[in-house]
Amino acid sequence: MKTSLAALLTATLAASVFVSGAAHAAALDQFKAFVSGTKSAKGEFTQQQVRKSANSKATPASSGSFVFARPGKFIWNYQKPYEQLLQADGDQLYIYDKDLNQVTIKKLGNALGSSPAAILFGSNDLEKNFTLSEAGTRDGLEWLNAVPKARDTTFEQISIGLRDGTPQAMELKDTFGQTSVLKFTNFQRNPSLGAQQFKFEIPKGADVINN
């Protein structure tokens, strides 16, 4: 379970939206306004995989907090049901498993690209990597679909639900037919962040794996 969650967020690097106007503006308008007007954000999240059928076993929900500064800097902190930290400083991605006291280091490079994380944490040039389209209204949110243009991504489609110019939810459909749902709360745009906010310190005694 830990590996899959880490892989999900490693793959999940991308965008959020602010709009200073109509609460029911089209999702694409809200999204593009958010991307251009939001340089950083922080908040809380829950994450759960949707059951394929009524007979499928439900996976436990994960929850935690996040902070990001575009492009490519973020802290994604799983707090329940276990602790795991994913942190990027713009150059490298650090995955820290507290139970194992193990840090895996990956080169960030083009990892954001066509991944979901590019939507929350990437650059403003989303249409270079995604085909964006309106997806209507559902559950009180305005939705848009983002389909990766790259063929080597593990995700078929990313759906983003917005209200009042703020992302409330993301649905991630992978190439294996599974869907993961992220819901955001206490979303704050452009908070004041310290200069060293995203500098990762290797915990004392931790095993380090470079990938």
Side-chain angles (χ1 to χ4, degrees), residues 115-131:
S115 69
I119 296 191
L120 283 175
F121 317 125
S123 68
N124 292 350
D125 195 13
L126 290 171
E127 290 179 287
K128 176 181 178 181
N129 296 308
F130 297 94
T131 299

Side-chain angles (χ1 to χ4, degrees), residues 81-182:
Y82 61 85
E83 296 183 62
Q84 186 181 55
L85 177 69
L86 296 98
Q87 184 166 330
D89 58 11
D91 295 315
Q92 293 181 307
L93 171 67
Y94 302 86
I95 303 171
Y96 174 51
D97 188 313
K98 185 174 181 179
D99 289 345
L100 298 177
N101 197 23
Q102 182 181 86
V103 178
T104 301
I105 304 175
K106 301 174 179 287
K107 186 70 176 176
L108 197 58
N110 296 320
L112 293 182
S114 299
S115 69
I119 296 191
L120 283 175
F121 317 125
S123 68
N124 292 350
D125 195 13
L126 290 171
E127 290 179 287
K128 176 181 178 181
N129 296 308
F130 297 94
T131 299
L132 305 176
S133 62
E134 295 284 352
T137 302
R138 174 165 50 90
D139 300 328
L141 304 178
E142 301 295 330
W143 289 84
L144 66 86
N145 291 333
V147 177
K149 293 181 178 180
R151 295 182 179 180
D152 58 352
T153 178
T154 57
F155 289 88
E156 289 186 346
Q157 179 177 284
I158 304 157
S159 299
I160 304 162
L162 303 112
R163 182 190 296 123
D164 299 336
T166 302
Q168 303 289 323
M170 291 179 69
E171 295 178 352
L172 314 173
K173 297 181 180 180
D174 65 25
T175 53
F176 301 101
Q178 298 176 323
T179 299
S180 294
V181 176
L182 292 165

Side-chain angles (χ1 to χ4, degrees), residues 19-116:
V19 121
S20 61
H24 299 291
L28 274 174
D29 291 339
Q30 293 191 50
F31 186 72
K32 290 178 180 179
F34 176 87
V35 173
S36 62
T38 304
K39 307 305 179 185
S40 62
K42 66 179 181 179
E44 299 172 352
F45 71 90
T46 60
Q47 174 183 321
Q48 189 167 28
Q49 191 174 89
V50 177
R51 292 189 297 174
K52 289 185 177 181
S53 67
N55 296 325
S56 300
K57 185 178 180 180
T59 59
S62 301
S63 62
S65 61
F66 68 88
V67 56
F68 74 81
R70 281 203 295 263
K73 295 180 180 180
F74 66 89
I75 300 170
W76 190 273
N77 189 15
Y78 288 101
Q79 296 162 346
K80 296 179 180 180
Y82 61 85
E83 296 183 62
Q84 186 181 55
L85 177 69
L86 296 98
Q87 184 166 330
D89 58 11
D91 295 315
Q92 293 181 307
L93 171 67
Y94 302 86
I95 303 171
Y96 174 51
D97 188 313
K98 185 174 181 179
D99 289 345
L100 298 177
N101 197 23
Q102 182 181 86
V103 178
T104 301
I105 304 175
K106 301 174 179 287
K107 186 70 176 176
L108 197 58
N110 296 320
L112 293 182
S114 299
S115 69

